[in-house]
Amino acid sequence: MNASRKTHSSSDDLLRGELTELLPPPPVPELEPEREHALRYAVLRDALGSEPAARPRAPRAVRGPLPRLTWIAAPVAACALVAGVVVLAPGEAPAGPPGRVTAGESTAPGAEQVLSRAALAAATAPAPNARPQDFVYVKSLVAHAGRSAAGGVATLPPAHQREVWLSADGSRGGLLREAGAADSVLSPSLPVYELEHRGASPRPTTLEAAPPSVTHPTHAYVATLPTDPEALLRLIREETRGDGGDADQRAFRAIGTLLAETWAPPKVTSALYEAAARIPGVTVLPSAKDAAGREGVAVARTADGEQTQWVFDRATSGFLGERTVLTETTAAGRKGTVLGVSAVLVKAAVARTGEQPGRAGA
């Protein structure tokens, strides 16, 4: 018997067969949503080159060789997400009268997927090239609904061009230029009048503006924001605390302003999307349009009868613009009335105010 076994043991085929019977390959379970999100976060973290964040690790389903196989597959999935291969199914544009849209339904997992794809895409975007002495130039289309002095429903005018030049380090005055209005100088100091004593004539002077913050950002300040999403969200909540209203909505709106009005480094922009994914109540819209008429998928959050929407390009997951929509019928208009819309067209660094990218001295 032993001699027979020794003879058979020389056969590699027989040995493999015996091992297969004794140790059958473990089943490979499908990834649960929590595990998938954890892997996506890990891939993003490694792509950014940051230190591991203090984030709970998802438990492994099985032991043995499975984690290695999963880890090999994760970058492939990440590449597909960045390339825009995995996208939401196209949706029909909302029907209805001009200036009215349909508010989003609560589908939080879909919103988290949209924001995760946006974070991955932002991580590979070009870094800002603004020097401290430069200005960050943002060109956009905007429209804001207004009401007459007598009241009545809000009316959304056609979108107009808006250009802003912001001092990169905040030390010099910027410029705001909007179609149909005079240029506005954005000064780092505030003009005030000072009284040396009672009865004296007021003397014009200036008051230094508040230091940079989430609500008053400079390019240099934004570049220093935390790249850990949880730490970033805590900071945003803290610095918007005095604005009143719903705390989660304050954070969501503040992040939207940073996305639209600043030019953050890739790591920071990616962290902003990951931070937004942690805000409760964020939903998804299968179809939405920005002020330029570009159609995409949107994430949104509702508070106090208004819904703030961020529109993303379906293929690239790039940020296109924002919309604000009434979710309740009020004196300002019926449910679905658009109160504001924007579209980000250009972000660049220029040497002086009034200069446009590629047109020095314009």
Side-chain angles (χ1 to χ4, degrees), residues 180-195:
D183 290 356
S184 299
V185 177
L186 307 176
S187 176
S189 58
L190 305 174
V192 296
Y193 285 89
E194 184 179 58
L195 286 176

Side-chain angles (χ1 to χ4, degrees), residues 30-40 55 58 109 112-113:
E30 294 184 0
L31 290 180
E32 297 180 352
E34 294 81 4
R35 177 60 173 161
E36 182 181 2
H37 181 271
L39 288 173
R40 192 165 59 238
R55 180 182 177 89
E112 185 178 6
Q113 293 173 7

Side-chain angles (χ1 to χ4, degrees), residues 241-300:
R241 187 183 300 275
D243 295 343
D246 181 89
D248 291 326
Q249 190 71 357
R250 290 199 309 266
F252 190 77
R253 287 174 176 168
I255 292 174
T257 300
L258 291 172
L259 293 172
E261 292 287 287
T262 67
W263 193 15
K267 290 182 181 181
V268 174
T269 303
S270 182
L272 287 170
Y273 291 126
E274 289 285 341
R278 288 163 167 74
I279 299 176
V282 179
T283 62
V284 67
L285 278 168
S287 180
K289 290 184 179 180
D290 68 3
R294 298 176 297 189
E295 192 274 343
V297 62
V299 296

